[in-house]
Amino acid sequence: MLDRNRQHQIAGPGHGQALSADLYYDGGQNYSPYGRDYSEQEQGFNPLKLLFYVVQYRWLFVIMAAAGLVAGVIITMMQTPKYQATTQLEVLVPSAKVFQDIEVVSENADVRAFLTAREKLKSRALAQRVVFQLGLSEKPDFLFPTPAFSLSNIFYRAFGISKSPSFEEKTPEEREEIAIKRVLDDLTVNLVTNTSLLSITFVDQKPKYASDIANQVAQSFIDQRLDQTSETSDLARQFIQEQVLQVKQKLQKSEEDLVAYAKDAGITITGDDKSLIGSNIEALNTALATAIQDRLDAGRVVDQIDKGRGSSLAPVLESEGLQKLNEKLADLTSQYQQKLGILKPGFPEMQQLQSQIKELQRLYNNGVLAITDSLRLKYQEAQNKEADLKSKLAEMEKQQVIFNDKNIKYTILKREVDSNRSQYDNLIAKLNEVGVSSELKTQSAAIVDFASLPDRPYSPRLSINLAIALALFMALSASVIYVIELLNNTFTNPEQVEKELGLAMLGILPLVEDRELMASIADQKSGLSEAYRSLRTSLQFSGAEGAPRSLVVTSSEPSEGKSTTSFKLGQDFAALGARVLIVDGDLRKPNLHRLFGLDNTIGLSNLLTNTVRKEDLASIFRATKYPNVTVLTSGTIPPNPADLLSSPKMALIVTNLGKRFDLVIIDAPPIVGLSDAPILSRLAEGTLMVISTNQVTRKSAKTALKRLRAAGANVVGAAMSKFAVNKFDYNYAYKYMNYQYYNYGTDTNTPKIEGKVDDGASQPAYAKSPTFSRLVRRIRSSVGGFLDRAKSIS
């Protein structure tokens, strides 16, 4: 019996520390990944994983990079060299308007003016003008250039051969259309940011055409704008002249109609556009106002006279004769008063003075009366004049009413005359302005920098083509790798087994050539033997009580190494002193008897069918040349293996054998397509799945594991077989899988190549030339990996 308390003693060489069984066993049928907790697995972008893919597919990247460089050179040779010339044109916005009323050319100082100029530069009309100026329609090398991208360009550039154009086959109109199209296709106009400059660029296979056309486009644009301005001025002048003639005729007719109507209606107009009646009424109103004022003034004087104050009137006082009489009268009166004190009034002298005074008084009164009578007469005349003026004014007002009725049509005719005269005057002024402006030719654009003759082609550029081709081919490589990895449904590394199946990875078995398999198993210092000892140690810690007493070794598909694993595990456990029984449970295609060099006359099938004699019962369990290792072969191949394995007798046999031996290893058939392995796994304490690298599909392995667990099997873990540990990409990802470390104790000067690439091709056991052998391995590894994936996908 296998002593499970001796786990630390049978841990095997190379393991200095025992691991806890809880790391592998999680009760029932649920097992955590071996040595890794995937609940804490890092997600997202992993630069190391990306580097791993780069290293793994390094030869594909190298080949694709070389192909990209070659493609870049070929593409460059297939392209025709092109030259580029650039002219800078400044768009001038006028700062002042030439015309006040009519704007022949209107420019706005904003971006729209520059955008409009750019579109005009790319117009077909301008291209046609350029073609005509340079005579491009008559130049065959311009009309029929070398193809821009063609395979024939390689020979043209290599041998200097030029293709002869079919110039005579085209009509002049067709050649002109071709030339215009070429100018438009290869012309580029861009607005320089934050400036009023336009960059005019032309590309052509000949440098002279590139510079000449770029310069001519700018010059033709300027000439076109000048011609348009002059043409617009001529059209404006012609239009205004026509309008002047029309308005002049209308003015003449309207004046004739006005004069004829005034003559017929008897309307007389003064120089200030007033009628005679109106003028008379205005004069009568003025005279009447004066007469009324005179009458009022004379009336006031008469009122003074009637009141007896005529002598105090201004005309009386201002009369010189009356003033002299008044002075003499005053003097005589003074003398009389002086002499009255001396002489008596009856005295002759006094009487003489009195008679003089009376005479003077009479003369004075007659003078005053004469003046007052004249003032009364003046008042009477003012009244008469006022009455006459009022009578005349009333008569003129009646005539004015009659005139106004006639003047309505006259006013309409006169207004039409005035309107026509105003139009005629304005048009004459504008015609004079247009006549002056037609002689002015203001440039709306100016060439800032002429295009110079390019001395080198700007396209193609070898460096840019190489960079683009290299980037595209690298992207293609990444896409190919992505598709390969996406379609690759096999297992290439242990991490995939742990992640996809959720099984503990108990061992990684290196790939060994078929002819060296038995030698590697027999050699205890080989890498394969060391890997199996590591698997044995992992099995010892796969359960809470150590290794299971009965272990089924199976695989998803045939040829994955399960029989070899059963064979080698039996030897390794027996080397620890345990009594091991290896049972060949594959009743369909048994193989264990060949590994042990035994015949398969009787075995398990005979025991299950009771076709073995009782005396031969002990001979069924055969001892081998390996100490403590006993073998129970499959025996005669039965027609119903599944029925035999599922019988109660099989369960009884497994139970009894578990009591007699420390460890029972059952080599079971493949799982997929058969029910034998699930039946056997249900009877054993543990089941080990052998998964081959780059062979079994992930779906097949998942289906097999699902069947085992559905049958109640205790799957303790998995062993990955045929793992190419000598591949650089695998060693990079799994540093612990060092090939030289597996082959400890061997002669490093003569390296023994036990592993091989996963394409199944054979390699020599010893490399006579290390450099050549290393190169061959790398090439075959890269190509073989892709072929294996293609086979697994198919």
Side-chain angles (χ1 to χ4, degrees):
M1 297 294 290
L2 179 62
D3 188 0
R4 303 192 180 193
N5 295 326
R6 298 171 55 206
Q7 297 179 35
H8 298 283
Q9 297 179 13
I10 61 175
H15 297 274
Q17 180 179 353
L19 302 178
S20 172
D22 294 337
L23 187 61
Y24 310 100
Y25 185 75
D26 194 17
Q29 301 172 3
N30 299 323
Y31 296 88
S32 301
Y34 186 80
R36 184 171 185 178
D37 186 4
Y38 271 88
S39 63
E40 300 178 357
Q41 183 180 3
E42 296 181 359
Q43 301 294 333
F45 177 72
N46 189 355
L48 293 179
K49 188 174 182 180
L50 182 62
L51 180 61
F52 166 71
Y53 282 119
V54 173
V55 174
Q56 181 179 359
Y57 295 96
R58 58 194 179 278
W59 290 112
L60 176 62
F61 279 111
V62 172
I63 293 173
M64 295 298 282
L69 295 177
V70 173
V73 174
I74 293 176
I75 290 174
T76 303
M77 295 295 295
M78 293 173 65
Q79 291 180 285
T80 302
K82 293 184 178 181
Y83 296 84
Q84 176 178 285
T86 302
T87 301
Q88 285 193 337
L89 181 71
E90 181 181 7
V91 178
L92 303 176
V93 179
S95 58
K97 296 178 181 178
V98 177
F99 310 117
Q100 296 296 328
D101 297 326
I102 293 182
E103 296 181 20
V104 179
V105 179
S106 177
E107 295 286 353
N108 296 322
D110 55 9
V111 180
R112 289 178 297 178
F114 305 131
L115 296 179
T116 302
R118 185 184 67 178
E119 294 303 320
K120 287 184 177 180
L121 283 166
K122 296 190 295 184
S123 64
R124 188 181 185 279
L126 187 65
Q128 187 177 15
R129 192 179 186 118
V130 172
V131 170
F132 176 77
Q133 292 291 337
L134 297 180
L136 299 178
S137 60
E138 303 299 327
K139 297 181 178 180
D141 53 347
F142 179 79
L143 297 175
F144 307 102
T146 306
F149 184 83
S150 176
L151 186 62
S152 59
N153 288 343
I154 298 178
F155 302 98
Y156 295 157
R157 296 180 64 181
F159 302 103
I161 302 174
S162 60
K163 183 180 179 181
S164 58
S166 55
F167 182 78
E168 293 77 9
E169 298 177 1
K170 301 294 182 179
T171 64
E173 291 77 10
E174 292 176 342
R175 294 198 298 269
E176 183 180 3
E177 289 298 326
I178 295 174
I180 293 174
K181 187 176 184 302
R182 278 221 57 203
V183 171
L184 293 177
D185 291 343
D186 296 331
L187 180 66
T188 304
V189 181
N190 294 317
L191 177 63
V192 181
T193 308
N194 297 327
T195 67
S196 59
L197 299 180
L198 291 175
S199 177
I200 304 172
T201 303
F202 191 80
V203 178
D204 196 82
Q205 297 176 4
K206 294 185 178 299
K208 182 172 178 55
Y209 284 152
S211 60
D212 290 349
I213 294 177
N215 291 329
Q216 185 60 46
V217 167
Q219 187 61 48
S220 297
F221 174 75
I222 296 174
D223 296 341
Q224 185 185 53
R225 295 293 294 271
L226 293 176
D227 293 344
Q228 290 175 350
T229 303
S230 177
E231 181 180 358
T232 305
S233 299
D234 294 340
L235 292 175
R237 183 172 62 252
Q238 181 180 357
F239 172 76
I240 294 174
Q241 287 176 347
E242 295 175 355
Q243 294 296 317
V244 166
L245 293 177
Q246 295 178 6
V247 173
K248 183 179 180 181
Q249 294 175 359
K250 290 173 62 178
L251 178 60
Q252 291 176 353
K253 186 176 184 307
S254 61
E255 288 178 341
E256 292 174 356
D257 294 341
L258 179 63
V259 172
Y261 178 77
K263 182 178 180 181
D264 295 340
I267 299 175
T268 304
I269 303 299
T270 61
D272 53 357
D273 294 339
K274 294 181 180 180
S275 65
L276 184 59
I277 297 175
S279 300
N280 293 335
I281 290 175
E282 184 178 354
L284 287 175
N285 284 327
T286 304
L288 179 60
T290 305
I292 292 174
Q293 185 64 38
D294 293 341
R295 179 185 61 79
L296 293 176
D297 294 340
R300 286 192 294 271
V301 172
V302 172
D303 289 340
Q304 294 292 328
I305 295 173
D306 293 340
K307 292 178 181 180
R309 293 194 292 266
S311 59
S312 62
L313 295 175
V316 175
L317 298 177
E318 292 175 357
S319 176
E320 294 180 358
L322 292 179
Q323 288 179 0
K324 290 179 179 180
L325 288 176
N326 195 21
E327 290 176 356
K328 288 180 180 183
L329 181 60
D331 183 47
L332 290 175
T333 303
S334 174
Q335 290 178 10
Y336 179 80
Q337 290 296 331
Q338 289 177 1
K339 289 178 179 184
L340 186 60
I342 301 174
L343 299 177
K344 292 183 178 182
F347 192 75
E349 184 177 358
M350 293 298 287
Q351 291 180 353
Q352 187 179 2
L353 287 173
Q354 288 180 354
S355 61
Q356 289 181 354
I357 291 173
K358 289 181 180 180
E359 184 64 24
L360 289 175
Q361 185 66 42
R362 185 184 66 79
L363 292 175
Y364 179 77
N365 290 335
N366 290 335
V368 171
L369 180 61
I371 291 175
T372 55
D373 289 340
S374 64
L375 291 176
R376 288 180 183 275
L377 182 61
K378 185 177 181 181
Y379 173 68
Q380 185 64 36
E381 291 176 354
Q383 287 180 333
N384 295 334
K385 183 178 181 180
E386 179 181 357
D388 291 340
L389 289 174
K390 286 182 178 181
S391 175
K392 188 63 176 177
L393 182 60
E395 183 181 354
M396 295 302 295
E397 287 178 350
K398 292 179 181 180
Q399 294 180 4
Q400 181 67 32
V401 171
I402 298 172
F403 174 79
N404 289 338
D405 293 338
K406 298 179 180 180
N407 192 47
I408 294 174
K409 185 176 180 181
Y410 179 85
T411 303
I412 295 174
L413 295 174
K414 186 175 184 302
R415 185 164 51 245
E416 184 176 358
V417 170
D418 295 339
S419 176
N420 292 334
R421 183 177 289 109
S422 177
Q423 292 182 20
Y424 181 77
D425 293 339
N426 290 334
L427 288 174
I428 290 298
K430 293 172 184 177
L431 183 61
N432 294 332
E433 291 178 358
V434 171
V436 175
S437 64
S438 61
E439 303 299 328
L440 300 177
K441 293 185 178 180
T442 304
Q443 286 190 346
S444 59
I447 300 177
V448 176
D449 189 9
F450 285 92
S452 59
L453 189 68
D455 56 352
R456 68 182 66 179
Y458 93 103
S459 173
R461 296 183 180 179
L462 180 60
S463 58
I464 295 179
N465 288 343
L466 290 178
I468 294 176
L470 188 61
L472 291 177
F473 275 80
M474 290 297 100
L476 180 62
S477 302
S479 302
V480 171
I481 294 172
Y482 176 78
V483 173
I484 290 175
E485 291 295 326
L486 190 64
L487 298 179
N488 181 21
N489 58 352
T490 61
F491 296 99
T492 58
N493 57 69
E495 279 188 354
Q496 294 175 347
V497 176
E498 296 174 347
K499 181 178 181 181
E500 298 289 340
L501 303 181
L503 293 177
M505 183 53 61
L506 302 181
I508 302 175
L509 309 176
L511 177 66
V512 178
E513 294 184 11
D514 294 339
R515 66 173 181 267
E516 297 179 356
L517 179 61
M518 298 310 297
S520 297
I521 293 176
D523 185 5
Q524 297 301 318
K525 294 183 179 181
S526 66
L528 183 62
S529 297
E530 179 60 29
Y532 274 115
R533 284 193 291 271
S534 178
L535 175 61
R536 177 195 65 185
T537 303
S538 299
L539 285 171
Q540 289 179 281
F541 296 98
S542 61
E545 298 181 359
R549 297 182 66 89
S550 55
L551 178 67
V552 172
V553 180
T554 183
S555 62
S556 302
E557 298 176 357
S559 303
E560 292 194 58
K562 57 180 180 56
S563 298
T564 304
T565 301
S566 301
F567 173 73
K568 184 60 177 174
L569 282 178
Q571 297 180 27
D572 291 340
F573 274 104
L576 301 178
R579 290 176 295 123
V580 180
L581 172 64
I582 304 178
V583 180
D584 193 346
D586 191 350
L587 303 183
R588 302 173 187 271
K589 292 183 179 180
N591 190 39
L592 273 179
H593 64 280
R594 296 188 183 91
L595 295 177
F596 285 98
L598 303 174
D599 62 81
N600 194 24
T601 305
I602 56 175
L604 179 60
S605 61
N606 303 98
L607 187 61
L608 293 175
T609 56
N610 295 321
T611 58
V612 61
R613 294 179 298 177
K614 191 174 183 179
E615 58 272 15
D616 296 333
L617 192 60
S619 62
I620 293 180
F621 300 93
R622 305 182 186 184
T624 63
K625 62 181 180 180
Y626 305 102
N628 299 327
V629 177
T630 305
V631 177
L632 175 60
T633 60
S634 63
T636 305
I637 299 177
N640 53 347
D643 295 339
L644 296 179
L645 295 177
S646 61
S647 63
K649 191 171 184 179
M650 182 63 191
L652 183 61
I653 291 174
V654 172
T655 303
N656 291 333
L657 292 177
K659 296 177 180 179
R660 293 180 54 189
F661 294 91
D662 296 331
L663 177 62
V664 177
I665 299 177
I666 303 175
D667 181 19
I671 302 171
V672 177
L674 303 174
S675 60
D676 301 3
I679 295 172
L680 293 174
S681 63
R682 184 180 182 88
L683 302 177
E685 291 186 8
T687 300
L688 174 66
M689 280 191 67
V690 177
I691 300 174
S692 60
T693 306
N694 291 324
Q695 179 177 341
V696 63
T697 63
R698 302 180 189 183
K699 184 176 181 180
S700 177
K702 288 182 180 180
T703 303
L705 180 61
K706 185 177 180 181
R707 290 192 63 191
L708 289 177
R709 288 178 172 171
N714 179 18
V715 184
V716 296
M720 195 167 193
S721 62
K722 302 180 182 180
F723 189 80
V725 297
N726 65 325
K727 290 183 68 176
F728 175 74
D729 46 3
Y730 287 153
N731 286 331
Y732 177 80
Y734 305 98
K735 297 180 180 179
Y736 53 84
M737 295 290 295
N738 189 280
Y739 179 73
Q740 297 297 335
Y741 178 78
Y742 268 126
N743 293 276
Y744 65 92
T746 60
D747 187 6
T748 57
N749 295 328
T750 308
K752 184 179 180 181
I753 307 176
E754 292 184 0
K756 66 174 182 177
V757 295
D758 51 357
D759 60 349
S762 61
Q763 289 181 340
Y766 294 93
K768 296 181 180 180
S769 175
T771 304
F772 177 77
S773 177
R774 190 180 304 110
L775 179 60
V776 171
R777 284 200 307 270
R778 288 183 177 178
I779 297 175
R780 295 177 65 184
S781 175
S782 301
V783 178
F786 178 78
L787 294 177
D788 283 348
R789 289 185 176 87
K791 291 179 182 178
S792 63
I793 293 173
S794 61

